[in-house]
Amino acid sequence: MVQYNFKKMTAVPTGKDFIDIILSRTQRQTPTVVHKGYAISRLRQFYMRKVKYTQQTFMRSSQPSSTSSPLGRHPSDHYKLALGQINTARNLISKVAKDYVKLLKFGDSLYRCKSLKVAALGRMCTIMKRISPSLAYLEQVRQHMARLPSIDPNTRTILICGYPNVGKSSFINKITRADVDVQPYAFTTKSLFVGHTDYKYLRYQVIDTPGILDRPFEDRNIIEMCSITALAHLRAAVLFFLDVSGSCGYSVAQQAALFHSIKSLFMNKPLIIEDMKLVTEMKAEAAKTVVAQGGEASGEAVLLTMSTLTEDGVIAVKNAACERLLNQRVEIKMKSKKINDCLNRFHVAMPKPRDNKERPPCIPQAVLEARAKETQQKEKRKLERDLEDENGGAGVYSASLRKHYILADEEWKEDIMPEILDGHNVYDFVDADILQRLEELEREEGLRLEAEAEAEDDALDMDARDLSPEEREALAEIKKKKAMLIQEHRIKKSTAESRPTVPRKFDRYRSFTTKRMGRELSTLGMDPSAPSTGERSQARGDDEAVNMDVDQPNKKLRLRSRSRSRPPGEVVPGEGLRDSAQKVKAIKLAKNSVKLRNKSARRGEADRVIPNMKPKHLFSGKRSIGKTSRR
């Protein structure tokens, strides 16, 4: 099925852009290198190829895509005139190319062949410049067609027409999801609007057209011509709207005159006339007026009443239009020649009664009993909601999840489930005198702890025999403090085993400082400066420890205390090098080995990436003179 989507139409370039496109394509797609030393036949062929390619490109690019006029927006004469000028330009370009190809066959030098080629391309460009106004006009037509809705001319279509401001847009807004602007003045709708509705599981296309005035055809404007063109070219069911109240600004006689002036466009199309039901008594008068002026009225099937304000009769009008259109399409298909090929493939059997005897349906008695039993069970069955209401409501009643268990004994459903640990039932290991045994184990553990404490006290007494009472107290404090620190460390390690160590500078409370350590050592009767001096002397060596005792200026002390950097050539034990010269030579060889790799921007020894040495955007395009058999 054909779908007209004007938004995909290619833009029409201006005359100057058209020439630039053609000449650029010729330059890119044909050889560009020629020498005066070539044979004259080769020179002639070179320039004839350019002229022929330019002419073929003009012919392909200026092919008219459509010869039918757009829906009333632009006059048909102007549209056909523009297409005719383009067709004439194509013929002239073909004639120019043919003439200059003949002249090029007799060219006797490179200069003469080149001059003929320039003259040919120049005349083609001049012809295209002359039709620049036509190209600009066709671009405007394309832009207008791109703004048109996508209308499928082959699907089921309902077309709404009538005088301005009679309720056409309100009706399409009611029966479809279209959002057409509705205002209390005429010509609110200035173009075609499309909506879609469903009837009997089929999709219908509803088109709202601008209002039409009753005047001669040549006096109608562009907006009215949209409606006239749609009525003339679309195969659809026509809904002609009448406003019998006169609130639209036009009398019933004027609307009937418009109906008779355009009724020639309704030929072979289902026609339904709607009058807006504002005054019900005016319906008979409207029907009489339409019939008196030459119309036909066949009851409710032709003249229907509705009101978009109260939505009375809107669905009836839509259903009547869809039904009449569907019947007409079925009749047309039944009259076509293709139906004969389909009818012989199937047969519709229509059963006929063989006598007047009644044969009611026979249902077995077992089936009736089963149905009755199911009905009783459904009536007697209590839901969880009913049980909840009977037992105190939500928050009080707790539904039992075990009542539907299938067990050998119904009393087992509410039994307490045994607990399973490591695949074993805990109740299998329960001992009757387990509490008594627990007391015995606790008593035994207490005796063992007391024996260990007495052994520790005896060892402490043996170590502290040679100490004075003050030293014993200090030793007890140290051991106590040590035990507490060990306990704190174990607690921290157990809780923060996977955490990284927080630097001291991020310690929030600054609790562990050197001053605190000094105070604690002082309370224990020890000199805080002695350990620091001993550690420094052991770290530096004997010679530095001696220098620390000598009185020297502070500057020299700072220089001594700084760590010295090792020179790159110094040999560290364990490197496997003989002396400093061998190490310097090894460093130099290592630098030279990675120099080429770094120059090629390799990531390492395993980097085997081969970069693209000839990117396509730099080396594609014009072909050089030579063999092209490999391309």
Side-chain angles (χ1 to χ4, degrees):
M1 186 176 292
V2 180
Q3 274 281 13
Y4 293 97
N5 192 355
F6 299 119
K7 294 178 177 59
K8 294 183 179 179
M9 292 176 62
T10 308
V12 181
T14 61
K16 185 176 181 302
D17 295 341
F18 205 102
I19 293 170
D20 292 341
I21 292 170
I22 300 300
L23 294 183
S24 175
R25 187 175 299 170
T26 302
Q27 183 72 1
R28 285 185 287 108
Q29 300 296 333
T30 57
T32 56
V33 180
V34 69
H35 299 286
K36 61 181 180 180
Y38 289 168
I40 189 64
S41 61
R42 186 174 178 182
L43 295 175
R44 292 170 183 166
Q45 187 66 28
F46 178 83
Y47 287 108
M48 280 194 293
R49 181 176 178 181
K50 284 186 173 294
V51 174
K52 288 180 180 179
Y53 186 84
T54 306
Q55 180 254 340
Q56 292 172 1
T57 309
F58 269 116
M59 298 294 287
R60 285 195 302 266
S61 302
S62 59
Q63 179 93 21
S65 60
S66 176
T67 56
S68 61
S69 175
L71 292 175
R73 173 63 178 85
H74 297 272
S76 177
D77 296 339
H78 293 181
Y79 183 69
K80 291 181 179 179
L81 183 62
L83 294 179
Q85 288 180 354
I86 291 179
N87 196 22
T88 303
R90 297 173 74 245
N91 295 332
L92 290 175
I93 288 174
S94 300
K95 186 177 180 182
V96 168
K98 185 178 180 181
D99 294 342
Y100 275 90
V101 167
K102 285 183 179 180
L103 294 174
L104 279 168
K105 290 181 180 179
F106 300 98
D108 54 358
S109 65
L110 173 64
Y111 176 75
R112 184 158 300 178
C113 292
K114 184 176 181 180
S115 300
L116 290 172
K117 185 265 297 184
V118 172
L121 267 61
R123 288 189 62 182
M124 294 180 191
C125 295
T126 302
I127 293 172
M128 292 304 300
K129 285 182 181 178
R130 290 176 182 173
I131 62 171
S132 295
S134 298
L135 294 174
Y137 174 76
L138 290 176
E139 174 61 17
Q140 293 180 0
V141 173
R142 186 200 67 82
Q143 292 177 1
H144 166 70
M145 295 176 71
R147 289 190 291 268
L148 291 176
S150 181
I151 299 175
D152 186 1
N154 299 313
T155 190
R156 295 162 290 274
T157 307
I158 299 174
L159 200 63
I160 305 173
C161 63
Y163 255 92
N165 208 21
V166 295
K168 301 186 296 298
S169 299
S170 301
F171 177 72
I172 192 175
N173 287 343
K174 295 292 183 182
I175 66 172
T176 68
R177 297 184 64 183
D179 188 12
V180 185
D181 189 21
V182 178
Q183 297 295 339
Y185 50 82
F187 288 108
T188 306
T189 304
K190 298 181 180 179
S191 63
L192 301 181
F193 286 89
V194 180
H196 295 85
T197 186
D198 292 333
Y199 177 71
K200 289 186 177 180
Y201 304 102
L202 295 175
R203 178 60 57 90
Y204 286 78
Q205 181 178 250
V206 185
I207 301 177
D208 181 20
T209 62
I212 309 173
L213 298 178
D214 184 21
R215 53 184 177 180
F217 184 80
E218 56 273 7
D219 294 341
R220 289 193 170 101
N221 55 22
I222 295 174
I223 299 176
E224 294 176 89
M225 288 304 297
C226 286
S227 302
I228 298 297
T229 309
L231 288 170
H233 293 283
L234 291 177
R235 186 177 61 184
V238 180
L239 297 181
F240 187 83
F241 276 59
L242 289 173
D243 186 3
V244 297
S245 66
S247 60
C248 63
Y250 306 98
S251 63
V252 177
Q254 290 177 320
Q255 299 178 54
L258 172 65
F259 171 77
H260 294 298
S261 66
I262 64 173
K263 70 178 180 179
S264 59
L265 300 175
F266 304 154
M267 297 295 293
N268 300 324
K269 297 177 183 177
L271 176 64
I272 298 177
I273 305 173
E274 283 78 22
D275 60 350
M276 306 309 292
K277 186 181 178 182
L278 295 178
V279 181
T280 309
E281 291 75 10
M282 293 183 182
K283 177 183 174 182
E285 181 185 352
K288 189 187 301 181
T289 304
V290 173
V291 174
Q293 296 194 15
E296 58 176 358
S298 59
E300 295 294 331
V302 174
L303 186 59
L304 301 177
T305 305
M306 72 169 185
S307 172
T308 56
L309 182 62
T310 61
E311 299 185 5
D312 185 14
V314 172
I315 301 301
V317 169
K318 184 198 83 168
N319 294 342
C322 294
E323 187 66 31
R324 293 196 58 171
L325 177 61
L326 188 61
N327 293 337
Q328 189 212 30
R329 289 171 67 92
V330 171
E331 289 176 4
I332 293 174
K333 290 182 180 179
M334 292 295 293
K335 292 178 182 179
S336 64
K337 296 181 180 179
K338 295 182 180 179
I339 194 65
N340 297 327
D341 300 334
C342 299
L343 286 177
N344 57 7
R345 298 181 185 178
F346 56 88
H347 173 70
V348 180
M350 302 297 294
K352 296 181 180 179
R354 59 188 178 185
D355 51 24
N356 296 327
K357 184 178 179 180
E358 293 185 1
R359 294 179 176 84
C362 179
I363 302 176
Q365 186 63 27
V367 175
L368 296 175
E369 293 177 358
R371 290 180 180 178
K373 187 177 181 180
E374 289 180 0
T375 306
Q376 293 176 0
Q377 289 180 354
K378 288 182 180 179
E379 293 177 355
K380 293 180 179 179
R381 181 184 175 187
K382 282 189 177 182
L383 303 177
E384 288 291 334
R385 181 176 297 177
D386 301 333
L387 295 175
E388 180 181 342
D389 295 339
E390 293 176 1
N391 293 280
V396 179
Y397 172 74
S398 178
S400 176
L401 303 178
R402 302 179 182 180
K403 61 183 178 181
H404 297 297
Y405 286 0
I406 301 175
L407 301 175
D409 191 352
E410 293 293 331
E411 298 179 356
W412 295 351
K413 290 183 178 179
E414 300 301 330
D415 290 350
I416 299 175
M417 289 262 191
E419 296 185 5
I420 306 299
L421 180 65
D422 297 333
H424 300 285
N425 192 346
V426 175
Y427 281 85
D428 294 340
F429 300 90
V430 173
D431 198 350
D433 53 350
I434 187 171
L435 296 178
Q436 181 180 357
R437 295 189 179 187
L438 179 60
E439 292 178 359
E440 293 177 358
L441 288 174
E442 289 178 352
R443 193 181 307 112
E444 184 180 351
E445 181 70 15
L447 295 175
R448 187 177 62 79
L449 291 176
E450 290 177 0
E452 289 180 357
E454 290 177 357
E456 289 179 0
D457 293 340
D458 294 340
L460 180 61
D461 293 340
M462 292 176 66
D463 294 337
R465 285 175 183 175
D466 300 335
L467 299 178
S468 62
E470 293 82 4
E471 291 176 347
R472 289 180 182 178
E473 292 179 1
L475 181 60
E477 288 290 336
I478 290 172
K479 289 186 176 182
K480 183 179 179 182
K481 187 66 176 179
K482 183 178 178 181
M484 291 178 63
L485 290 175
I486 291 173
Q487 188 177 2
E488 290 178 0
H489 174 70
R490 287 176 179 173
I491 293 173
K492 289 181 180 179
K493 187 176 180 181
S494 62
T495 57
E497 191 172 351
S498 60
R499 289 185 302 179
T501 305
V502 180
R504 184 168 295 174
K505 64 179 181 178
F506 297 119
D507 188 6
R508 181 177 180 183
Y509 299 104
R510 305 275 182 170
S511 58
F512 299 101
T513 60
T514 54
K515 293 183 179 180
R516 176 182 173 182
M517 181 179 176
R519 287 197 304 270
E520 291 179 354
L521 290 175
S522 300
T523 56
L524 296 175
M526 302 176 65
D527 187 6
S529 60
S532 176
T533 306
E535 290 176 2
R536 283 177 177 269
S537 60
Q538 291 176 6
R540 289 203 181 103
D542 296 333
D543 54 346
E544 294 187 7
V546 172
N547 292 330
M548 288 293 293
D549 298 331
V550 181
D551 294 335
Q552 290 183 352
N554 294 333
K555 185 176 181 182
K556 290 185 179 182
L557 284 175
R558 285 197 300 271
L559 291 174
R560 279 287 190 177
S561 63
R562 285 179 186 165
S563 61
R564 293 173 296 178
S565 60
R566 184 178 291 111
E570 183 178 347
V571 180
V572 179
E575 286 184 338
L577 299 173
R578 185 172 57 254
D579 51 8
S580 298
Q582 190 178 13
K583 184 173 182 180
V584 171
K585 185 177 180 179
I587 293 173
K588 187 176 181 180
L589 290 174
K591 288 183 178 179
N592 291 335
S593 64
V594 299
K595 185 182 296 183
L596 182 61
R597 188 187 72 194
N598 295 340
K599 189 175 181 180
S600 302
R602 303 290 183 184
R603 295 180 180 176
E605 295 179 358
D607 192 357
R608 299 288 188 271
V609 176
I610 300 175
N612 189 6
M613 304 306 294
K614 285 191 174 185
K616 186 175 181 181
H617 70 281
L618 294 179
F619 291 91
S620 64
K622 300 177 183 178
R623 297 184 297 173
S624 61
I625 294 297
K627 293 190 296 182
T628 59
S629 59
R630 292 187 299 274
R631 297 190 178 182

